[in-house]
Amino acid sequence: MKTSDFEKVIDDLFLSIKEYYPPKLFSAMEYAVKSGGKRIRPQLCFLSADFCDVPQDSVLPFALAIELIHSYSLVHDDLPCMDNDILRRGKPTVHAAFGEATALLVGDALLNLAYETLFSAAKTDTDVLSACKLIAECAGGQGMIGGQAMEFENDSFTENDLYVLDKKKTGMLIKCAVLSPAYLSGSPEKISALASFSDYAGLAFQIADDLIDVEKEEKTSFVNVCGKEKASSLLRSLRAKAYVSLAKWPDRNSELLSFFDKLAYRNI
Ligand code: GRG
């Protein structure tokens, strides 16, 4: 799906809910979701659907829900009680623009909207239901929220701790974006290959982020804990493993593999 088509889907979703939401909450939700995100997870979801020979339309609710979950996580992550950031994507964060109470509610409302989207898709199809459950697990306490909690429950991290933390905090939304389409493919082999690929992609995405933010000196940065050289060499070895994981499908793997390179070797 073209990015512009996905933006139209988001616009339509917001139009369809507008009359039911208090105006400030609605505006702040729109601001959170439509302020220049790269839409990495939806793109991965559609590429994975192509790889699995699954129609992109059937994974659209997954892509949408995952992007809503991603958006809520950034709003909450920026709050004063978490990272206390006032800028995101070069613009005031949601709490800076709309106030802290609204930002908290924006996150809650986006998360619930994500599950409304998934429930509308699930009906009685068991593969779709399994994919929806996967998304909920990846977003929750054993996934992204669990990773975020680890960060606040510990003062320092070893390299091994970071593998666990990043696999959860950053990796799990990437994982469900890549893996949920595979659940519709009925192919255990592709499910297993994409599970590995998504693990490597999630970790590579975070290490790339740490290399970009090198001067931030965060306690959870691979660059701080292991050094720049080691982080770069980790990236190279993740790339090699990602390529091996999809090597069995040389005629289908190129789009996902080039996207891996975009994630791992980006500079924004
Ligand atoms: C607060 C529940 C809760 C979770 C927070 C996602 C997250 C967990 C925190 C955000 C901060 C962070 C550094 C996360 C690592 C993943 C990451 C680099 C997110 C940014 O993703 P992009 O680059 O963002 O896809 P855009 O702006 O393009 O949407």
Side-chain angles (χ1 to χ4, degrees):
M1 175 173 282
K2 286 197 300 234
T3 312
S4 56
D5 292 338
F6 185 70
E7 296 307 319
K8 169 93 174 60
V9 171
I10 291 187
D11 288 347
D12 290 346
L13 174 70
F14 274 98
L15 261 182
S16 74
I17 63 170
K18 185 171 185 176
E19 63 180 298
Y20 307 108
Y21 284 63
K24 185 174 175 188
L25 176 66
F26 179 83
S27 304
M29 286 168 73
E30 245 192 342
Y31 181 84
V33 178
K34 292 165 52 174
S35 58
K38 297 184 285 299
R39 309 297 192 215
I40 282 169
R41 294 149 196 84
Q43 289 185 62
L44 272 169
C45 201
F46 296 128
L47 291 178
S48 175
D50 292 346
F51 178 82
C52 294
D53 237 342
V54 162
Q56 290 195 352
D57 276 355
S58 64
V59 305
L60 181 55
F62 306 162
L64 199 47
I66 293 166
E67 189 64 11
L68 293 171
I69 293 169
H70 166 63
S71 307
Y72 115 74
S73 79
L74 299 183
V75 175
H76 279 188
D77 191 62
D78 291 335
L79 282 170
C81 63
M82 296 228 175
D83 279 5
N84 197 13
D85 278 320
I86 52 157
L87 284 178
R88 159 120 1 232
R89 301 164 178 153
K91 298 184 186 138
T93 48
V94 175
H95 69 86
F98 294 87
E100 201 175 329
T102 299
L104 184 74
L105 296 171
V106 161
D108 295 342
L110 289 175
L111 178 61
N112 281 285
L113 185 58
Y115 291 114
E116 285 170 41
T117 308
L118 290 176
F119 281 129
S120 333
K123 303 198 176 76
T124 56
D125 184 316
T126 50
D127 288 336
V128 178
L129 281 168
S130 302
C132 294
K133 183 165 176 282
L134 171 80
I135 295 169
E137 284 169 359
C138 288
Q142 56 180 296
M144 179 184 71
I145 292 177
Q148 179 80 348
M150 278 178 73
E151 189 170 328
F152 283 87
E153 286 175 24
N154 297 282
D155 292 329
S156 65
F157 295 89
T158 63
E159 182 180 336
N160 280 339
D161 296 334
L162 288 188
Y163 287 121
V164 180
L165 185 143
D166 286 342
K167 192 170 171 182
K168 287 174 183 275
K169 186 177 108 168
T170 309
M172 285 298 191
L173 280 198
I174 302 243
K175 182 173 202 104
C176 64
V178 171
L179 203 48
S180 53
Y183 277 31
L184 310 190
S185 73
S187 160
E189 214 182 4
K190 281 189 177 158
I191 291 176
S192 162
L194 286 171
S196 302
F197 172 80
S198 59
D199 277 343
Y200 305 135
L203 198 51
F205 179 68
Q206 183 58 59
I207 294 174
D209 212 56
D210 295 344
L211 283 162
I212 294 166
D213 281 341
V214 72
E215 68 286 337
K216 268 200 182 165
E217 295 192 5
E218 282 173 4
K219 65 180 179 183
T220 57
S221 162
F222 260 100
V223 178
N224 274 341
V225 173
C226 315
K228 206 171 164 192
E229 288 309 306
K230 177 95 189 266
S232 304
S233 102
L234 266 169
L235 215 45
R236 284 192 295 278
S237 91
L238 287 166
R239 180 179 191 266
K241 289 180 186 166
Y243 274 63
V244 168
S245 67
L246 303 187
K248 202 172 165 206
W249 298 273
D251 52 337
R252 299 206 138 249
N253 64 14
S254 60
E255 300 264 355
L256 274 175
L257 294 177
S258 345
F259 205 80
F260 179 99
D261 287 342
K262 272 198 213 159
L263 295 184
Y265 297 103
R266 73 208 151 90
N267 50 19
I268 49 160

